[in-house]
Amino acid sequence: MTNYLLAGGGTAGHVNPLLALADAIRADSTLHHIFALGTVEGLEQQLVPERGYELITIERLPFPRKINRYAFRFIGAFLAAVRACERILREKQIDVVVGFGGYASAPAYLAAKKLGIPVVVHEANALPGWANKLGNKFAAATGVAFKNTKLKNAEFVGMPLRKEIEEVARAADKSLARKHFGLDPKTITLLVTGGSLGAKTINQTIDDSRNVLKAAGIQVLHIVGGKSEFDEISDDDYKRIKYCDQMELAIAASDFAVARAGASTVSEFAAVGLPAIYVPYPVGNGEQKLNVSELVSAGGGVLVADHEFTSQYVAEKLVPLISNTKLLGQMSAAAKEYGIADGTDRLFKLVQGVL
């Protein structure tokens, strides 16, 4: 029997791999105890209890980027969070802490270090966050989702994927998946998604290009995001929905995709061999561009800047690409060869190795 504390949260990119590992631990033995550490503001507040795991929360403490009143408050609050984590580790008799980055990970790492409990870090992005940079300094092991991630002594394990995605990677029923969304089972299908929050440029460009895509004989499954201003539409060859709670079916239904380059998206598409045009989020530290750089070099995707993804690009580049069956097959094979479908098992073995 082993007691695990899985720390992370905030975004789906942190929560989903955490849950994938939790499921693998639970499948290994019902004697294991699994606790998740997060905050009340993150997606973990909903997703972790829904999956049947106990969620313990601490205060959400963004790292200060400049010297101001919050920066001075942060020091005391962060030390209090570390002490809170120490109490949790003692009370739950935790044997190992596995962190996925995010606000909850850094205090958990430091508390584990103080108590002599081994730490395992998993970094999902090619550009590591500050919490995982901290944990990596003294971690017993570090796993990364991308080979170009710069963390010392890191082992490439890929991304822990949900079981549903792993099943699609093994065998997907494309016709059945298309029927689920009311699409024609024999027509080439384009998946468009900007993530849970949507992507304004991608959504607008695809909306402007509907007639061009229709004329080319391409049907579209367009997931615009729950907060998008675009309404849902259900035409024969164009399905526009706010949210998809079965992304594995959306991926299985598709021949090609247009998406942001979040770590989970890139990893899931590659694992199942779904080629895509990636339009990285144009604001921030550029991590999305780095996430997809190796896959693009391998031939499994195309990188397009946000401002370059226009209706003209769709007509002149995207449509000819999707219409080229041979090229599509080559890109799909390249994506699958690059992708890792057993990242969950690889990370679990890494964790077991420090116990």
Side-chain angles (χ1 to χ4, degrees):
M1 182 190 77
T2 304
N3 296 331
Y4 296 83
L5 182 72
L6 310 185
T11 66
H14 290 137
V15 181
N16 285 337
L18 182 156
L19 290 174
L21 178 63
D23 289 347
I25 295 170
R26 184 162 58 185
D28 180 67
S29 173
T30 57
L31 297 178
H32 297 318
H33 293 152
I34 305 162
F35 306 94
L37 182 72
T39 70
V40 295
E41 293 89 350
L43 285 177
E44 62 272 19
Q45 182 69 20
Q46 174 186 350
L47 298 181
V48 169
E50 281 182 354
R51 195 71 72 89
Y53 299 107
E54 180 180 343
L55 176 66
I56 305 168
T57 59
I58 58 174
E59 185 179 358
R60 178 181 180 273
L61 295 169
F63 189 78
R65 302 298 178 182
K66 56 184 178 180
I67 303 298
N68 54 19
R69 184 177 297 178
Y70 170 74
F72 289 103
R73 175 187 170 275
F74 171 83
I75 297 172
F78 184 79
L79 292 175
V82 173
R83 289 193 293 272
C85 288
E86 289 178 31
R87 290 193 293 273
I88 293 165
L89 295 175
R90 289 193 183 99
E91 290 172 4
K92 303 298 184 182
Q93 298 182 321
I94 298 299
D95 297 299
V96 61
V97 171
V98 186
F100 295 84
Y103 301 119
S105 292
Y109 292 153
L110 291 176
K113 181 177 185 293
K114 184 175 180 180
L115 298 178
I117 297 171
V119 167
V120 177
V121 172
H122 182 269
E123 177 53 60
N125 287 293
L127 188 63
W130 76 271
N132 279 350
K133 286 181 180 178
L134 172 67
N136 173 248
K137 293 180 183 298
F138 51 82
T142 298
V144 294
F146 299 104
K147 291 180 180 179
N148 58 338
T149 303
K150 291 182 172 56
L151 287 174
K152 69 174 185 177
N153 301 320
E155 181 173 333
F156 173 60
V157 297
M159 180 72 79
L161 301 175
R162 294 177 295 121
K163 285 294 183 184
E164 296 87 349
I165 297 294
E166 292 180 348
E167 290 171 3
V168 171
R170 285 192 291 269
D173 190 329
K174 198 175 290 291
S175 295
L176 192 62
R178 287 174 180 170
K179 289 178 181 177
H180 173 82
F181 294 102
L183 295 165
D184 183 81
K186 296 182 180 179
T187 300
I188 191 166
T189 303
L190 172 67
L191 170 65
V192 182
T193 176
S196 59
L197 299 179
K200 187 174 181 179
T201 299
I202 293 175
N203 288 341
Q204 187 63 61
T205 294
I206 294 300
D207 186 64
D208 293 341
S209 305
R210 286 173 58 189
N211 289 337
V212 171
L213 292 163
K214 181 182 179 71
I218 299 167
Q219 63 184 356
V220 180
L221 175 58
H222 188 178
I223 306 167
V224 293
K227 296 184 178 180
S228 171
E229 69 275 15
F230 289 93
D231 294 328
E232 295 191 341
I233 293 176
S234 183
D235 291 341
D236 289 342
D237 56 0
Y238 180 78
K239 306 293 181 181
R240 188 162 74 193
I241 58 178
K242 291 278 191 179
Y243 177 74
C244 179
D245 60 358
Q246 291 181 286
M247 273 302 294
E248 67 277 2
L249 289 180
I251 292 172
S254 306
D255 299 290
F256 198 81
V258 174
R260 290 298 194 206
S264 292
T265 298
V266 173
S267 298
E268 289 180 357
F269 286 5
V272 304
L274 179 64
I277 284 176
Y278 292 97
V279 187
Y281 184 55
V283 180
N285 56 13
E287 68 180 28
Q288 289 202 353
K289 185 176 180 180
L290 290 173
N291 286 345
V292 79
S293 62
E294 291 181 332
L295 176 59
V296 170
S297 296
V302 177
L303 182 66
V304 180
D306 188 82
H307 70 275
E308 293 177 347
F309 189 69
T310 62
S311 53
Q312 182 179 356
Y313 182 93
V314 171
E316 296 179 357
K317 301 290 186 180
L318 176 58
V319 168
L321 194 162
I322 299 177
S323 303
N324 188 330
T325 305
K326 181 178 179 180
L327 178 58
L328 215 57
Q330 292 171 343
M331 291 185 68
S332 176
K336 190 148 192 174
E337 184 175 354
Y338 169 85
I340 300 295
D342 61 344
T344 305
D345 289 340
R346 292 185 183 202
L347 178 59
F348 188 30
K349 288 177 182 177
L350 189 68
V351 174
Q352 290 175 309
V354 309
L355 293 171

